[in-house]
Amino acid sequence: MAEIIQINDIKIPELDIYARLSEGQLAHYFEPREGLFIAESPMVIHRALDAGYRPYSMLLEKSLAEGVPGRELIARCPGIPVYTARREVLEQITGYALTRGMLCAMYRKELPTVEQVCRDAGRIAVLENVMNPTNVGAIFRSAAALDMDGILLTHGSSDPLYRRAVRVSMGTVFQIPWTFLEPAEEGDGNQKSGIGGRLRGLGFQTAAMALREDSISLADPCLQQPGRLAIVLGTEGDGLAADTIEDCDFTVRIPMSRGVDSLNVAAASAVAFWQLGRRP
């Protein structure tokens, strides 16, 4: 059975992980071992548990702990402390109203290797320096829904297990394999990027999403031919590095109308995944 602890003092150290530690501090909480992340809302917590993530502690509204959703989650997390409080107390702890009134601190897992993510994949996404956690979460949700088999990220990208990314993804960060590329595989802006070559070595052709005159249309039939294809998306605003584009097999753009030059990277990812997720 979980230990139910009623909270009245928001300053107790056990609540630091929910209220006072940064995302980076959580990620390195048990350094050198993997740290913690925060899952928010019953559905997201259930998806994390389904994917094998282990709970560390839980924080939820007292009324929810006594209701069906809370009892179901608590039953799945035996042996951990479960902190409960009135809604107004929790809003003081977190600084905002909780989504569905539940937070769960969970242990991170050791990340898979690039080879493991790519081993059985036919379509993957690569995120180069996508820094906004909202965009990362939205891309994961689209990737899971639209037949991507995995996601690789450069270290300049936001961590998919940051609280906002997890929440926006609706827990799909737990359903699709992902990992970070090693810095040597990313390129440094002064030499030819390693992304295209790294993925070609794993049997993928690469499609850089970029606004260039030599870009081909997303609907070009040649993009349906590769058996294994990596869709490479760049940072908000600046897009992909020039070296990365040069290192890819295709340069691809989404046709626009009414003078619009581009879509937000998360919206562009959904369009690209829908079109390119189809297999030959």
Side-chain angles (χ1 to χ4, degrees), residues 15 17-19 38-42 45 58-65 83-105 163 167:
L15 298 184
I17 58 177
Y18 296 103
I38 305 296
E40 184 175 346
S41 87
I45 297 168
M58 192 179 297
L59 173 65
L60 66 164
E61 291 179 26
K62 185 175 186 297
S63 61
L64 291 173
Y83 303 101
T84 69
R86 301 185 313 276
R87 176 183 288 268
E88 55 268 27
V89 174
L90 293 185
E91 289 181 7
Q92 292 179 56
I93 293 171
T94 60
Y96 58 90
L98 292 181
T99 301
R100 301 291 298 278
M102 297 184 184
L103 294 173
C104 186
R163 186 185 300 185
R167 183 168 69 246

mmCIF file of all heavy atoms in Angstrom, residues 15 17-19 38-42 45 58-65 83-105 163 167:
data_model
loop_
_atom_site.group_PDB
_atom_site.id
_atom_site.type_symbol
_atom_site.label_atom_id
_atom_site.label_comp_id
_atom_site.label_asym_id
_atom_site.label_seq_id
_atom_site.Cartn_x
_atom_site.Cartn_y
_atom_site.Cartn_z
ATOM 1 N N LEU A 15 8.741 18.151 -0.921
ATOM 2 C CA LEU A 15 8.039 18.753 -2.052
ATOM 3 C C LEU A 15 8.954 19.588 -2.947
ATOM 4 O O LEU A 15 8.486 20.179 -3.914
ATOM 5 C CB LEU A 15 6.870 19.611 -1.564
ATOM 6 C CG LEU A 15 5.784 18.861 -0.795
ATOM 7 C CD1 LEU A 15 4.643 19.803 -0.448
ATOM 8 C CD2 LEU A 15 5.279 17.665 -1.573
ATOM 9 N N ILE A 17 11.011 18.616 -5.134
ATOM 10 C CA ILE A 17 11.046 18.107 -6.511
ATOM 11 C C ILE A 17 9.868 18.605 -7.326
ATOM 12 O O ILE A 17 9.945 18.677 -8.554
ATOM 13 C CB ILE A 17 11.106 16.566 -6.546
ATOM 14 C CG1 ILE A 17 9.911 15.957 -5.809
ATOM 15 C CG2 ILE A 17 12.414 16.065 -5.973
ATOM 16 C CD1 ILE A 17 9.875 14.446 -5.871
ATOM 17 N N TYR A 18 8.780 18.967 -6.679
ATOM 18 C CA TYR A 18 7.611 19.457 -7.398
ATOM 19 C C TYR A 18 7.578 20.974 -7.527
ATOM 20 O O TYR A 18 6.995 21.514 -8.457
ATOM 21 C CB TYR A 18 6.326 19.007 -6.689
ATOM 22 C CG TYR A 18 6.131 17.515 -6.676
ATOM 23 C CD1 TYR A 18 6.380 16.770 -5.529
ATOM 24 C CD2 TYR A 18 5.718 16.842 -7.818
ATOM 25 C CE1 TYR A 18 6.212 15.399 -5.517
ATOM 26 C CE2 TYR A 18 5.557 15.471 -7.821
ATOM 27 C CZ TYR A 18 5.807 14.753 -6.675
ATOM 28 O OH TYR A 18 5.638 13.389 -6.678
ATOM 29 N N ALA A 19 8.198 21.667 -6.563
ATOM 30 C CA ALA A 19 8.002 23.112 -6.497
ATOM 31 C C ALA A 19 9.261 23.943 -6.641
ATOM 32 O O ALA A 19 9.188 25.077 -7.103
ATOM 33 C CB ALA A 19 7.332 23.468 -5.157
ATOM 34 N N ILE A 38 8.821 14.730 -14.047
ATOM 35 C CA ILE A 38 7.472 14.875 -13.507
ATOM 36 C C ILE A 38 6.449 14.578 -14.595
ATOM 37 O O ILE A 38 6.473 15.180 -15.675
ATOM 38 C CB ILE A 38 7.228 16.296 -12.967
ATOM 39 C CG1 ILE A 38 8.294 16.671 -11.928
ATOM 40 C CG2 ILE A 38 5.822 16.412 -12.379
ATOM 41 C CD1 ILE A 38 8.284 15.843 -10.678
ATOM 42 N N ALA A 39 5.554 13.639 -14.309
ATOM 43 C CA ALA A 39 4.415 13.345 -15.190
ATOM 44 C C ALA A 39 3.170 13.961 -14.580
ATOM 45 O O ALA A 39 2.970 13.902 -13.364
ATOM 46 C CB ALA A 39 4.242 11.836 -15.356
ATOM 47 N N GLU A 40 2.348 14.560 -15.430
ATOM 48 C CA GLU A 40 1.193 15.314 -14.953
ATOM 49 C C GLU A 40 -0.076 14.842 -15.652
ATOM 50 O O GLU A 40 -0.087 14.692 -16.872
ATOM 51 C CB GLU A 40 1.423 16.813 -15.224
ATOM 52 C CG GLU A 40 0.340 17.712 -14.703
ATOM 53 C CD GLU A 40 0.683 19.179 -14.889
ATOM 54 O OE1 GLU A 40 1.858 19.499 -15.182
ATOM 55 O OE2 GLU A 40 -0.230 20.005 -14.755
ATOM 56 N N SER A 41 -1.113 14.586 -14.872
ATOM 57 C CA SER A 41 -2.455 14.161 -15.273
ATOM 58 C C SER A 41 -2.550 12.637 -15.255
ATOM 59 O O SER A 41 -1.556 11.933 -15.515
ATOM 60 C CB SER A 41 -2.874 14.698 -16.642
ATOM 61 O OG SER A 41 -2.452 13.853 -17.691
ATOM 62 N N PRO A 42 -3.725 12.108 -14.945
ATOM 63 C CA PRO A 42 -3.883 10.652 -14.849
ATOM 64 C C PRO A 42 -3.494 9.906 -16.120
ATOM 65 O O PRO A 42 -2.806 8.882 -16.053
ATOM 66 C CB PRO A 42 -5.379 10.486 -14.533
ATOM 67 C CG PRO A 42 -5.762 11.750 -13.847
ATOM 68 C CD PRO A 42 -4.945 12.823 -14.512
ATOM 69 N N ILE A 45 0.307 9.831 -16.553
ATOM 70 C CA ILE A 45 0.932 8.965 -15.552
ATOM 71 C C ILE A 45 0.686 7.497 -15.888
ATOM 72 O O ILE A 45 1.599 6.663 -15.811
ATOM 73 C CB ILE A 45 0.415 9.315 -14.144
ATOM 74 C CG1 ILE A 45 0.808 10.752 -13.781
ATOM 75 C CG2 ILE A 45 0.975 8.337 -13.109
ATOM 76 C CD1 ILE A 45 0.115 11.297 -12.542
ATOM 77 N N MET A 58 4.113 10.785 -5.372
ATOM 78 C CA MET A 58 2.963 11.351 -6.069
ATOM 79 C C MET A 58 2.426 12.528 -5.252
ATOM 80 O O MET A 58 2.516 12.539 -4.022
ATOM 81 C CB MET A 58 1.882 10.285 -6.251
ATOM 82 C CG MET A 58 0.770 10.661 -7.209
ATOM 83 S SD MET A 58 -0.470 9.324 -7.381
ATOM 84 C CE MET A 58 0.566 8.031 -8.079
ATOM 85 N N LEU A 59 1.881 13.508 -5.953
ATOM 86 C CA LEU A 59 1.280 14.684 -5.326
ATOM 87 C C LEU A 59 -0.062 14.932 -6.000
ATOM 88 O O LEU A 59 -0.116 15.080 -7.232
ATOM 89 C CB LEU A 59 2.202 15.901 -5.500
ATOM 90 C CG LEU A 59 1.675 17.268 -5.067
ATOM 91 C CD1 LEU A 59 1.436 17.301 -3.555
ATOM 92 C CD2 LEU A 59 2.665 18.369 -5.476
ATOM 93 N N LEU A 60 -1.151 14.969 -5.239
ATOM 94 C CA LEU A 60 -2.459 15.162 -5.855
ATOM 95 C C LEU A 60 -3.429 15.805 -4.880
ATOM 96 O O LEU A 60 -3.206 15.831 -3.668
ATOM 97 C CB LEU A 60 -3.025 13.846 -6.371
ATOM 98 C CG LEU A 60 -3.404 12.737 -5.389
ATOM 99 C CD1 LEU A 60 -4.300 11.724 -6.093
ATOM 100 C CD2 LEU A 60 -2.174 12.023 -4.847
ATOM 101 N N GLU A 61 -4.496 16.331 -5.439
ATOM 102 C CA GLU A 61 -5.541 16.929 -4.625
ATOM 103 C C GLU A 61 -6.186 15.870 -3.740
ATOM 104 O O GLU A 61 -6.402 14.735 -4.160
ATOM 105 C CB GLU A 61 -6.608 17.561 -5.515
ATOM 106 C CG GLU A 61 -6.147 18.783 -6.271
ATOM 107 C CD GLU A 61 -7.254 19.345 -7.143
ATOM 108 O OE1 GLU A 61 -8.445 19.127 -6.793
ATOM 109 O OE2 GLU A 61 -6.949 19.969 -8.163
ATOM 110 N N LYS A 62 -6.515 16.269 -2.529
ATOM 111 C CA LYS A 62 -7.086 15.334 -1.567
ATOM 112 C C LYS A 62 -8.363 14.697 -2.107
ATOM 113 O O LYS A 62 -8.575 13.482 -1.969
ATOM 114 C CB LYS A 62 -7.363 16.056 -0.255
ATOM 115 C CG LYS A 62 -7.848 15.153 0.872
ATOM 116 C CD LYS A 62 -7.979 15.931 2.168
ATOM 117 C CE LYS A 62 -8.328 15.002 3.328
ATOM 118 N NZ LYS A 62 -9.631 14.352 3.153
ATOM 119 N N SER A 63 -9.226 15.489 -2.738
ATOM 120 C CA SER A 63 -10.494 14.945 -3.236
ATOM 121 C C SER A 63 -10.260 13.903 -4.319
ATOM 122 O O SER A 63 -10.991 12.916 -4.413
ATOM 123 C CB SER A 63 -11.385 16.071 -3.769
ATOM 124 O OG SER A 63 -10.732 16.740 -4.852
ATOM 125 N N LEU A 64 -9.228 14.105 -5.140
ATOM 126 C CA LEU A 64 -8.936 13.145 -6.206
ATOM 127 C C LEU A 64 -8.340 11.858 -5.639
ATOM 128 O O LEU A 64 -8.566 10.778 -6.179
ATOM 129 C CB LEU A 64 -7.989 13.763 -7.223
ATOM 130 C CG LEU A 64 -8.586 14.887 -8.077
ATOM 131 C CD1 LEU A 64 -7.513 15.540 -8.921
ATOM 132 C CD2 LEU A 64 -9.705 14.367 -8.950
ATOM 133 N N ALA A 65 -7.576 11.989 -4.573
ATOM 134 C CA ALA A 65 -7.007 10.791 -3.955
ATOM 135 C C ALA A 65 -8.092 9.867 -3.433
ATOM 136 O O ALA A 65 -7.907 8.647 -3.344
ATOM 137 C CB ALA A 65 -6.074 11.188 -2.817
ATOM 138 N N TYR A 83 1.495 12.365 -1.473
ATOM 139 C CA TYR A 83 1.201 13.599 -0.759
ATOM 140 C C TYR A 83 -0.110 14.174 -1.278
ATOM 141 O O TYR A 83 -0.316 14.284 -2.497
ATOM 142 C CB TYR A 83 2.331 14.612 -0.960
ATOM 143 C CG TYR A 83 3.680 14.085 -0.537
ATOM 144 C CD1 TYR A 83 4.600 13.622 -1.482
ATOM 145 C CD2 TYR A 83 4.031 14.028 0.811
ATOM 146 C CE1 TYR A 83 5.836 13.118 -1.088
ATOM 147 C CE2 TYR A 83 5.267 13.529 1.209
ATOM 148 C CZ TYR A 83 6.158 13.076 0.253
ATOM 149 O OH TYR A 83 7.379 12.575 0.639
ATOM 150 N N THR A 84 -0.994 14.550 -0.369
ATOM 151 C CA THR A 84 -2.281 15.129 -0.758
ATOM 152 C C THR A 84 -2.476 16.454 -0.042
ATOM 153 O O THR A 84 -1.957 16.674 1.059
ATOM 154 C CB THR A 84 -3.454 14.190 -0.424
ATOM 155 O OG1 THR A 84 -3.608 14.101 1.000
ATOM 156 C CG2 THR A 84 -3.231 12.800 -0.997
ATOM 157 N N ALA A 85 -3.241 17.342 -0.689
ATOM 158 C CA ALA A 85 -3.543 18.638 -0.098
ATOM 159 C C ALA A 85 -4.762 19.220 -0.802
ATOM 160 O O ALA A 85 -5.170 18.743 -1.859
ATOM 161 C CB ALA A 85 -2.353 19.588 -0.232
ATOM 162 N N ARG A 86 -5.331 20.250 -0.217
ATOM 163 C CA ARG A 86 -6.433 20.956 -0.869
ATOM 164 C C ARG A 86 -5.906 21.672 -2.108
ATOM 165 O O ARG A 86 -4.726 22.009 -2.194
ATOM 166 C CB ARG A 86 -7.066 21.967 0.083
ATOM 167 C CG ARG A 86 -7.622 21.349 1.357
ATOM 168 C CD ARG A 86 -8.355 22.387 2.210
ATOM 169 N NE ARG A 86 -7.583 23.620 2.347
ATOM 170 C CZ ARG A 86 -6.631 23.793 3.241
ATOM 171 N NH1 ARG A 86 -6.282 22.820 4.076
ATOM 172 N NH2 ARG A 86 -5.997 24.959 3.312
ATOM 173 N N ARG A 87 -6.805 21.943 -3.058
ATOM 174 C CA ARG A 87 -6.407 22.585 -4.326
ATOM 175 C C ARG A 87 -5.637 23.872 -4.092
ATOM 176 O O ARG A 87 -4.606 24.121 -4.729
ATOM 177 C CB ARG A 87 -7.642 22.857 -5.184
ATOM 178 C CG ARG A 87 -7.330 23.617 -6.474
ATOM 179 C CD ARG A 87 -8.601 23.935 -7.247
ATOM 180 N NE ARG A 87 -9.144 22.735 -7.843
ATOM 181 C CZ ARG A 87 -8.855 22.327 -9.083
ATOM 182 N NH1 ARG A 87 -8.007 23.013 -9.827
ATOM 183 N NH2 ARG A 87 -9.404 21.240 -9.571
ATOM 184 N N GLU A 88 -6.118 24.721 -3.183
ATOM 185 C CA GLU A 88 -5.454 26.018 -2.986
ATOM 186 C C GLU A 88 -4.051 25.853 -2.437
ATOM 187 O O GLU A 88 -3.160 26.667 -2.729
ATOM 188 C CB GLU A 88 -6.295 26.921 -2.075
ATOM 189 C CG GLU A 88 -6.650 26.321 -0.727
ATOM 190 C CD GLU A 88 -7.977 25.581 -0.735
ATOM 191 O OE1 GLU A 88 -8.371 25.083 -1.823
ATOM 192 O OE2 GLU A 88 -8.610 25.499 0.334
ATOM 193 N N VAL A 89 -3.811 24.810 -1.655
ATOM 194 C CA VAL A 89 -2.465 24.552 -1.153
ATOM 195 C C VAL A 89 -1.563 24.108 -2.299
ATOM 196 O O VAL A 89 -0.419 24.561 -2.429
ATOM 197 C CB VAL A 89 -2.495 23.486 -0.041
ATOM 198 C CG1 VAL A 89 -1.073 23.106 0.378
ATOM 199 C CG2 VAL A 89 -3.284 23.986 1.154
ATOM 200 N N LEU A 90 -2.062 23.226 -3.162
ATOM 201 C CA LEU A 90 -1.254 22.753 -4.287
ATOM 202 C C LEU A 90 -0.917 23.881 -5.251
ATOM 203 O O LEU A 90 0.166 23.904 -5.836
ATOM 204 C CB LEU A 90 -1.992 21.636 -5.029
ATOM 205 C CG LEU A 90 -2.173 20.328 -4.258
ATOM 206 C CD1 LEU A 90 -2.807 19.272 -5.145
ATOM 207 C CD2 LEU A 90 -0.847 19.828 -3.718
ATOM 208 N N GLU A 91 -1.833 24.819 -5.426
ATOM 209 C CA GLU A 91 -1.541 25.943 -6.317
ATOM 210 C C GLU A 91 -0.427 26.803 -5.748
ATOM 211 O O GLU A 91 0.358 27.392 -6.495
ATOM 212 C CB GLU A 91 -2.806 26.750 -6.570
ATOM 213 C CG GLU A 91 -3.817 26.016 -7.448
ATOM 214 C CD GLU A 91 -5.072 26.821 -7.728
ATOM 215 O OE1 GLU A 91 -5.109 28.009 -7.355
ATOM 216 O OE2 GLU A 91 -6.008 26.255 -8.314
ATOM 217 N N GLN A 92 -0.301 26.873 -4.432
ATOM 218 C CA GLN A 92 0.830 27.577 -3.835
ATOM 219 C C GLN A 92 2.138 26.831 -4.086
ATOM 220 O O GLN A 92 3.180 27.439 -4.307
ATOM 221 C CB GLN A 92 0.622 27.707 -2.323
ATOM 222 C CG GLN A 92 -0.507 28.621 -1.906
ATOM 223 C CD GLN A 92 -0.634 28.663 -0.403
ATOM 224 O OE1 GLN A 92 0.329 28.973 0.303
ATOM 225 N NE2 GLN A 92 -1.811 28.333 0.109
ATOM 226 N N ILE A 93 2.074 25.503 -4.081
ATOM 227 C CA ILE A 93 3.277 24.693 -4.282
ATOM 228 C C ILE A 93 3.771 24.820 -5.710
ATOM 229 O O ILE A 93 4.957 25.036 -5.975
ATOM 230 C CB ILE A 93 2.984 23.216 -3.963
ATOM 231 C CG1 ILE A 93 2.712 23.055 -2.468
ATOM 232 C CG2 ILE A 93 4.159 22.326 -4.377
ATOM 233 C CD1 ILE A 93 2.204 21.681 -2.093
ATOM 234 N N THR A 94 2.867 24.673 -6.679
ATOM 235 C CA THR A 94 3.268 24.596 -8.076
ATOM 236 C C THR A 94 3.226 25.937 -8.790
ATOM 237 O O THR A 94 3.832 26.091 -9.848
ATOM 238 C CB THR A 94 2.352 23.623 -8.836
ATOM 239 O OG1 THR A 94 0.996 24.103 -8.750
ATOM 240 C CG2 THR A 94 2.421 22.237 -8.242
ATOM 241 N N GLY A 95 2.482 26.898 -8.244
ATOM 242 C CA GLY A 95 2.376 28.200 -8.888
ATOM 243 C C GLY A 95 1.291 28.284 -9.927
ATOM 244 O O GLY A 95 1.095 29.318 -10.553
ATOM 245 N N TYR A 96 0.563 27.212 -10.159
ATOM 246 C CA TYR A 96 -0.524 27.221 -11.136
ATOM 247 C C TYR A 96 -1.458 26.059 -10.816
ATOM 248 O O TYR A 96 -1.115 25.143 -10.070
ATOM 249 C CB TYR A 96 -0.004 27.075 -12.569
ATOM 250 C CG TYR A 96 0.807 25.825 -12.802
ATOM 251 C CD1 TYR A 96 0.198 24.635 -13.209
ATOM 252 C CD2 TYR A 96 2.184 25.818 -12.599
ATOM 253 C CE1 TYR A 96 0.937 23.483 -13.412
ATOM 254 C CE2 TYR A 96 2.923 24.668 -12.784
ATOM 255 C CZ TYR A 96 2.294 23.507 -13.195
ATOM 256 O OH TYR A 96 3.026 22.365 -13.385
ATOM 257 N N ALA A 97 -2.653 26.096 -11.390
ATOM 258 C CA ALA A 97 -3.597 25.008 -11.187
ATOM 259 C C ALA A 97 -3.085 23.744 -11.861
ATOM 260 O O ALA A 97 -2.644 23.782 -13.010
ATOM 261 C CB ALA A 97 -4.967 25.387 -11.752
ATOM 262 N N LEU A 98 -3.113 22.645 -11.151
ATOM 263 C CA LEU A 98 -2.643 21.390 -11.724
ATOM 264 C C LEU A 98 -3.572 20.913 -12.821
ATOM 265 O O LEU A 98 -4.790 21.081 -12.741
ATOM 266 C CB LEU A 98 -2.578 20.300 -10.650
ATOM 267 C CG LEU A 98 -1.535 20.452 -9.542
ATOM 268 C CD1 LEU A 98 -1.626 19.251 -8.612
ATOM 269 C CD2 LEU A 98 -0.156 20.567 -10.114
ATOM 270 N N THR A 99 -2.991 20.307 -13.869
ATOM 271 C CA THR A 99 -3.794 19.656 -14.891
ATOM 272 C C THR A 99 -4.367 18.378 -14.303
ATOM 273 O O THR A 99 -3.629 17.458 -13.977
ATOM 274 C CB THR A 99 -2.932 19.327 -16.124
ATOM 275 O OG1 THR A 99 -2.374 20.537 -16.622
ATOM 276 C CG2 THR A 99 -3.765 18.668 -17.207
ATOM 277 N N ARG A 100 -5.678 18.341 -14.161
ATOM 278 C CA ARG A 100 -6.360 17.180 -13.595
ATOM 279 C C ARG A 100 -5.866 16.856 -12.184
ATOM 280 O O ARG A 100 -6.100 15.776 -11.673
ATOM 281 C CB ARG A 100 -6.202 15.954 -14.503
ATOM 282 C CG ARG A 100 -6.743 16.137 -15.910
ATOM 283 C CD ARG A 100 -8.248 16.236 -15.957
ATOM 284 N NE ARG A 100 -8.871 15.019 -15.455
ATOM 285 C CZ ARG A 100 -9.065 13.920 -16.157
ATOM 286 N NH1 ARG A 100 -8.670 13.884 -17.434
ATOM 287 N NH2 ARG A 100 -9.643 12.856 -15.628
ATOM 288 N N GLY A 101 -5.167 17.792 -11.535
ATOM 289 C CA GLY A 101 -4.891 17.673 -10.118
ATOM 290 C C GLY A 101 -3.892 16.626 -9.676
ATOM 291 O O GLY A 101 -3.870 16.263 -8.496
ATOM 292 N N MET A 102 -3.042 16.105 -10.573
ATOM 293 C CA MET A 102 -2.120 15.035 -10.193
ATOM 294 C C MET A 102 -0.742 15.253 -10.787
ATOM 295 O O MET A 102 -0.604 15.598 -11.962
ATOM 296 C CB MET A 102 -2.628 13.677 -10.673
ATOM 297 C CG MET A 102 -3.944 13.247 -10.078
ATOM 298 S SD MET A 102 -4.376 11.567 -10.640
ATOM 299 C CE MET A 102 -5.997 11.403 -9.878
ATOM 300 N N LEU A 103 0.285 15.030 -9.961
ATOM 301 C CA LEU A 103 1.664 15.003 -10.414
ATOM 302 C C LEU A 103 2.308 13.730 -9.881
ATOM 303 O O LEU A 103 2.004 13.293 -8.769
ATOM 304 C CB LEU A 103 2.452 16.208 -9.884
ATOM 305 C CG LEU A 103 2.067 17.602 -10.364
ATOM 306 C CD1 LEU A 103 2.850 18.639 -9.580
ATOM 307 C CD2 LEU A 103 2.327 17.756 -11.852
ATOM 308 N N CYS A 104 3.208 13.162 -10.655
ATOM 309 C CA CYS A 104 3.945 11.983 -10.212
ATOM 310 C C CYS A 104 5.407 12.154 -10.593
ATOM 311 O O CYS A 104 5.726 12.369 -11.775
ATOM 312 C CB CYS A 104 3.374 10.713 -10.843
ATOM 313 S SG CYS A 104 4.115 9.179 -10.210
ATOM 314 N N ALA A 105 6.291 12.111 -9.605
ATOM 315 C CA ALA A 105 7.727 12.100 -9.877
ATOM 316 C C ALA A 105 8.132 10.670 -10.215
ATOM 317 O O ALA A 105 7.764 9.729 -9.501
ATOM 318 C CB ALA A 105 8.507 12.596 -8.662
ATOM 319 N N ARG A 163 8.768 18.678 -17.988
ATOM 320 C CA ARG A 163 7.352 18.574 -17.625
ATOM 321 C C ARG A 163 6.422 19.072 -18.721
ATOM 322 O O ARG A 163 5.429 18.424 -19.046
ATOM 323 C CB ARG A 163 7.076 19.355 -16.332
ATOM 324 C CG ARG A 163 5.660 19.189 -15.813
ATOM 325 C CD ARG A 163 5.371 20.068 -14.608
ATOM 326 N NE ARG A 163 6.253 19.783 -13.489
ATOM 327 C CZ ARG A 163 6.128 20.351 -12.281
ATOM 328 N NH1 ARG A 163 5.163 21.227 -12.071
ATOM 329 N NH2 ARG A 163 6.962 20.038 -11.312
ATOM 330 N N ARG A 167 3.700 16.902 -20.894
ATOM 331 C CA ARG A 167 2.274 17.252 -20.843
ATOM 332 C C ARG A 167 1.716 17.504 -22.241
ATOM 333 O O ARG A 167 0.651 16.994 -22.589
ATOM 334 C CB ARG A 167 2.082 18.488 -19.952
ATOM 335 C CG ARG A 167 0.615 18.882 -19.791
ATOM 336 C CD ARG A 167 0.426 19.915 -18.692
ATOM 337 N NE ARG A 167 0.976 21.211 -19.034
ATOM 338 C CZ ARG A 167 2.002 21.785 -18.411
ATOM 339 N NH1 ARG A 167 2.629 21.150 -17.442
ATOM 340 N NH2 ARG A 167 2.418 22.976 -18.760
#
